[in-house]
Amino acid sequence: CIIRGSQVYHSLILSLLAVLVYTICLRILKRALVVNPEIISACLTVLMFLISRQYNHRMLLERPITLSLIFVGVFLYVLIRKKNYWIFLVPLIYVFTYSVTFMIIIPAGIYFLSGLLSNKEDFRYGIKALWLSFAGLATGIVLRPDSYNYLLNAYGSHFLSIYQSLTESMYVFIPDEFSSTYELLEHSYSLWYLAFGIIFVSLFIKSLLISKTDPDKRNLLFLNATTLFFIALYAVFFRAIDYL
């Protein structure tokens, strides 16, 4: 009963993630006045789940990562739309659903840094958003009844594993989900990974060239820089494929 219930729960969460991706794609395409946005959105949603064998494998695991991706997707949205209360609440609730909560701070940090390349108003709001994110995360950790064990697992073990994979330590066990940069070229996903990198480097450069008075400059910098960060992290930390 527990196994069957877990499978049903995971299927529902996976469906919710697919609906979220479809809705986001549909809204973007409708705003851009693209022809047949419903069909294209459906194709993009299917493509997201089939673009990589490794990603598809991760999505089919009965793990909290699927629920985590929904929170990260919503968090990106509330940052772009500048929803102050939600910028605080999403990290707070996120703490109760997944152990790797430091991932939610990465978009907030990049959002803050993207303000440096935009105008002063965007920079000031970036500081506010970063503090709200940290405050929400800290509040969630304090409210958890197992704060100490949670911090030990969520931060201690993961950061130690990242350090070990970077230094290629031979004395401590490194989980299979961590891989060195040179191993990336040995896997089947190296071709699309390289193409993906080139596309988003060019988009990031293009967003840098946009005038600071353009209201979309900050968001374009933010989204492209976040993607580039996870492209780089993926070379070291295999779990980053979920966020990438």
Side-chain angles (χ1 to χ4, degrees):
C1 287
I2 292 172
I3 292 172
R4 189 169 295 174
S6 176
Q7 290 171 343
V8 171
Y9 169 77
H10 183 74
S11 300
L12 289 172
I13 295 300
L14 199 60
S15 301
L16 186 60
L17 177 64
V19 169
L20 178 68
V21 172
Y22 174 82
T23 304
I24 290 171
C25 291
L26 186 62
R27 290 197 64 173
I28 292 171
L29 292 174
K30 280 186 174 180
R31 281 190 175 189
L33 303 178
V34 175
V35 180
N36 298 322
E38 293 84 3
I39 297 173
I40 298 174
S41 298
C43 291
L44 288 172
T45 305
V46 172
L47 180 63
M48 188 197 77
F49 287 98
L50 300 180
I51 195 168
S52 164
R53 175 173 55 85
Q54 289 76 13
Y55 178 74
N56 190 252
H57 167 73
R58 290 281 296 165
M59 287 298 96
L60 293 176
L61 289 174
E62 292 174 32
R63 299 288 188 274
I65 179 61
T66 312
L67 184 61
S68 169
L69 290 176
I70 294 173
F71 274 91
V72 174
V74 172
F75 190 63
L76 291 174
Y77 176 79
V78 297
L79 279 173
I80 290 172
R81 298 301 299 271
K82 299 181 178 180
K83 304 284 187 180
N84 293 338
Y85 294 112
W86 286 104
I87 291 173
F88 173 80
L89 284 174
V90 172
L92 190 157
I93 302 169
Y94 181 61
V95 171
F96 291 88
T97 63
Y98 195 46
S99 61
V100 195
T101 50
F102 58 84
M103 286 296 190
I104 202 81
I105 290 299
I106 291 171
I110 297 173
Y111 185 79
F112 159 70
L113 292 174
S114 65
L116 294 171
L117 301 172
S118 191
N119 53 60
K120 290 181 180 180
E121 183 182 347
D122 286 338
F123 173 68
R124 285 194 294 267
Y125 188 78
I127 297 174
K128 181 180 180 180
L130 187 60
W131 277 110
L132 284 171
S133 305
F134 270 114
L137 189 64
T139 304
I141 293 172
V142 170
L143 291 176
R144 278 188 67 107
D146 58 338
S147 298
Y148 175 76
N149 290 330
Y150 178 78
L151 287 170
L152 190 64
N153 174 51
Y155 293 84
S157 62
H158 283 88
F159 280 113
L160 179 62
S161 297
I162 292 173
Y163 171 76
Q164 289 166 6
S165 72
L166 286 171
T167 57
E168 297 179 1
S169 172
M170 297 179 63
Y171 302 101
V172 187
F173 170 73
I174 301 174
D176 291 336
E177 65 205 24
F178 294 88
S179 61
S180 301
T181 306
Y182 67 87
E183 291 178 338
L184 186 69
L185 301 176
E186 299 175 6
H187 296 299
S188 60
Y189 48 73
S190 57
L191 184 61
W192 75 259
Y193 175 84
L194 180 63
F196 206 61
I198 292 171
I199 289 169
F200 278 92
V201 166
S202 62
L203 286 172
F204 180 71
I205 293 171
K206 186 177 180 180
S207 59
L208 281 173
L209 299 175
I210 295 174
S211 170
K212 287 187 177 183
T213 57
D214 192 311
D216 291 327
K217 182 180 178 69
R218 187 328 151 50
N219 291 334
L220 289 170
L221 283 169
F222 165 54
L223 292 173
N224 287 311
T226 304
T227 308
L228 287 174
F229 176 87
F230 284 114
I231 287 174
L233 184 63
Y234 178 45
V236 179
F237 185 40
F238 183 71
R239 276 190 185 180
I241 192 172
D242 309 325
Y243 302 94
L244 175 57

